[in-house]
């Protein structure tokens, strides 16, 4: 169809918006763990894997939002989300809708896509290669 063929030229911008919006949501998970903002049930002292996850989510999310080192950061965060799913969610129930792992799976596969697709438009990575 002509309409969809015309939309293809905006693929870099759409990819950039997907990266930025996903990163902004991901930053919230890290900031909630680290700073209890937004206020939630993750408040408390963080140790071990939870502290590492919080730092990865906050710092990695910022780097992805900026589009800086997109592919390696996305690779790292994809792995973090796979580990989070199988350690925290899968043991509760087989089905993601029942175990609360929907977000972890979605983040994991969006990050995996960014590993292969790159940052898209609006990324600092684009300035480094120019």
């Amino acid at each position: 169809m002509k309409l969809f063929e015309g939309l293809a030229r905006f693929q870099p911008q759409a990819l950039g918006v997907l990266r930025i919006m996903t990163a902004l949501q991901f930053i919230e998970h890290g900031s909630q763990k680290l700073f209890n903002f937004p206020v939630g049930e993750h408040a408390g002292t963080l140790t071990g894997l939870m502290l590492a996850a919080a730092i990865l989510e906050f710092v990695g999310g910022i780097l992805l939002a900026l589009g800086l080192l997109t592919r390696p950061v996305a690779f790292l965060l994809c792995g973090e989300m796979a580990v989070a799913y199988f350690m925290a969610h899968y043991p509760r129930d087989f089905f993601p809708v029942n175990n609360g792992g929907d977000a972890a799976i979605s983040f994991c596969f969006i990050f995996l896509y960014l590993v292969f697709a790159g940052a898209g438009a609006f990324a600092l990575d684009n300035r480094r290669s120019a």
Side-chain angles (χ1 to χ4, degrees):
M1 277 177 128
K2 285 271 190 210
L3 171 67
F4 295 112
E5 290 171 13
L7 289 176
R9 68 179 173 195
F10 297 107
Q11 187 270 339
Q13 291 82 3
L15 178 57
V17 170
L18 174 70
R19 173 185 46 80
I20 292 166
M21 294 310 298
T22 302
L24 291 175
Q25 290 179 2
F26 204 62
I27 290 167
E28 284 186 58
H29 288 272
S31 70
Q32 189 175 57
K33 290 178 185 87
L34 289 171
F35 313 118
N36 197 29
F37 181 80
V39 175
E41 54 189 59
H42 291 291
T45 305
L46 296 175
T47 58
L49 285 176
M50 283 299 287
L51 178 60
I55 292 168
L56 281 170
E57 290 164 7
F58 188 70
V59 175
I62 290 171
L63 290 171
L64 278 186
L66 296 172
L68 185 61
L69 303 171
T70 300
R71 289 176 195 249
V73 170
F75 180 77
L76 193 68
L77 297 181
C78 173
E80 181 211 353
M81 287 294 95
V83 168
Y85 179 78
F86 285 108
M87 286 185 71
H89 300 283
Y90 181 77
R92 292 186 211 159
D93 192 287
F94 177 78
F95 297 102
V97 70
N98 292 335
N99 67 25
D102 304 55
I105 291 172
S106 295
F107 280 128
C108 181
F109 282 94
I110 291 170
F111 296 148
L112 182 63
Y113 178 68
L114 291 175
V115 170
F116 290 94
F122 322 117
L124 293 178
D125 284 344
N126 298 335
R127 290 178 169 238
R128 293 179 341 133
S129 62

